[in-house]
Amino acid sequence: MVNTLPPTTTAERAAPATTRPAGPVVDGRARTRRRQVVVAYLFLAPTLLFFAVFLILPLGFALLLSTSRWAGFDLGDIQPVGAVNFRSLFADGSTFLAPILTNTLMFALGTVVLALAGSVVVATCIDNLRFQGLWRTLYFLPIVTTVVAVGNVWKYMYEPGGLVNGALNALGFGSVAFLQDPGTALPAVVVVQAWASVGSAILVLTAGLKSIPESYYEAAALDGAGPVTVFWKITLPLLRPALLLVCITQLISGLQSFALIIVMTKGGPGGATDVAALEMYRQAFSYGRWGPASAAAFVLFVVVLVVTLVQLWIFRRKGEDA
């Protein structure tokens, strides 16, 4: 029989055979992927619902109140006023910028400086002692103590006949009206806030110290570096992530704090310790002015966000320089 098929070329013989697309296999994988996504969202649904109810909805309601006038009773009484509440915060004669916001920043920065310096020193000392768990527990006790108890104890210690003035008198100094003098009231409360929050900072910093490899210290010892040089050149640079965490958490806590102040000074004397969170509480619950209180809350949120971003930028830049 004569072969009538055209002869195949060399290129045709070398070309791979085409395969048929596995349509059912691809569709099955897509369906499996969709089922996995649906199951994942079902597991995430309780968390997403929690954030929606306790974060998204309150945030949206606060934004609505910041542009409205409301006394805090009937939702039907909400009256839109635009940006009036925000303009009132920065109007002439307003006390929000000074002294309230100024006191808030001073209170937060003072707390960060004292708590950070104290926690670095104490954490470094604890890292070289025995029974480290016991020491960390003792310094952590103020964290688990209620703010009301801490504030009242320190309030009595600051009294003219209290422990602090007793120590000053024993050293030959006169008594100081710490909480009654506008010049000393805010620093006195800052000291208490720093003392009460130093325990959590110590836990973070001791964990950071444990993560530093011993090889760095061994190399420094071989080079003859002293303790001060080792601390400044090795310990502090390698503690940067822990220091950043402590700075951010302490600063946010200081900017939002008002419980300690309301226990010790109630914002006095003469507004010397009046802070933003305390003013928001008064405007909302004492005066029934939920609009200005919500506007102040958003301004404080912007301040916290900006300060946090600045800290992140500074620490990141220092890390690149190092």
Side-chain angles (χ1 to χ4, degrees):
M1 179 180 292
V2 179
N3 186 7
T4 58
L5 296 175
T8 58
T9 62
T10 304
E12 291 175 345
R13 288 194 298 270
T18 58
T19 58
R20 298 172 60 186
V25 176
V26 175
D27 293 342
R29 291 177 178 175
R31 286 194 296 270
T32 302
R33 176 62 179 171
R34 284 194 295 269
R35 284 197 296 268
Q36 291 176 349
V37 172
V38 171
V39 172
Y41 276 109
L42 288 177
F43 277 105
L44 288 174
T47 303
L48 296 176
L49 181 62
F50 177 85
F51 277 100
V53 172
F54 295 101
L55 181 64
I56 304 300
L57 291 180
L59 184 63
F61 187 62
L63 181 60
L64 172 65
L65 292 181
S66 66
T67 58
S68 305
R69 181 182 294 110
W70 187 50
F73 298 101
D74 189 1
L75 293 177
D77 294 336
I78 297 179
Q79 302 175 4
V81 294
V84 172
N85 294 324
F86 289 96
R87 287 198 297 265
S88 65
L89 295 177
F90 305 99
D92 293 337
S94 174
T95 59
F96 182 74
L97 285 179
I100 295 175
L101 197 57
T102 304
N103 289 341
T104 304
L105 293 175
M106 292 178 61
F107 180 82
L109 292 176
T111 300
V112 169
V113 171
L114 292 181
L116 189 63
S119 60
V120 168
V121 173
V122 174
T124 305
C125 294
I126 290 177
D127 193 54
N128 297 316
L129 296 177
R130 299 176 59 186
F131 310 110
Q132 297 181 13
L134 173 62
W135 293 111
R136 287 195 295 267
T137 302
L138 292 177
Y139 277 99
F140 193 74
L141 287 178
I143 302 297
V144 298
T145 307
T146 62
V147 178
V148 176
V150 171
N152 282 317
V153 169
W154 276 90
K155 184 178 179 179
Y156 288 117
M157 289 174 61
Y158 278 139
E159 290 294 326
L163 180 62
V164 177
N165 277 308
L168 291 176
N169 295 334
L171 294 174
F173 298 98
S175 298
V176 179
F178 287 100
L179 300 180
Q180 292 77 29
D181 187 354
T184 59
L186 187 62
V189 181
V190 166
V191 170
V192 180
Q193 176 72 14
W195 173 85
S197 59
V198 74
S200 59
I202 289 175
L203 289 181
V204 175
L205 293 179
T206 51
L209 289 172
K210 294 298 182 184
S211 65
I212 299 177
E214 289 293 333
S215 58
Y216 291 102
Y217 296 108
E218 294 173 358
L222 292 176
D223 292 337
V228 177
T229 303
V230 170
F231 178 77
W232 284 105
K233 299 296 184 180
I234 297 178
T235 304
L236 276 185
L238 294 179
L239 267 182
R240 186 173 290 111
L243 292 173
L244 175 60
L245 177 60
V246 171
C247 283
I248 292 177
T249 54
Q250 293 291 335
L251 190 61
I252 293 176
S253 176
L255 290 173
Q256 296 177 342
S257 177
F258 86 101
L260 184 64
I261 291 178
I262 201 173
V263 170
M264 296 187 66
T265 63
K266 296 181 175 61
T273 58
D274 197 3
V275 293
L278 179 58
E279 183 65 18
M280 287 186 289
Y281 174 82
R282 286 175 175 171
Q283 291 290 333
F285 295 98
S286 298
Y287 309 141
R289 303 180 61 200
W290 286 80
S294 300
F298 274 97
V299 173
L300 183 61
F301 167 76
V302 173
V303 171
V304 172
L305 178 62
V306 171
V307 172
T308 303
L309 292 178
V310 169
Q311 287 186 96
L312 291 172
W313 178 77
I314 291 175
F315 273 83
R316 186 178 295 115
R317 183 177 180 182
K318 286 185 177 296
E320 293 174 354
D321 294 340

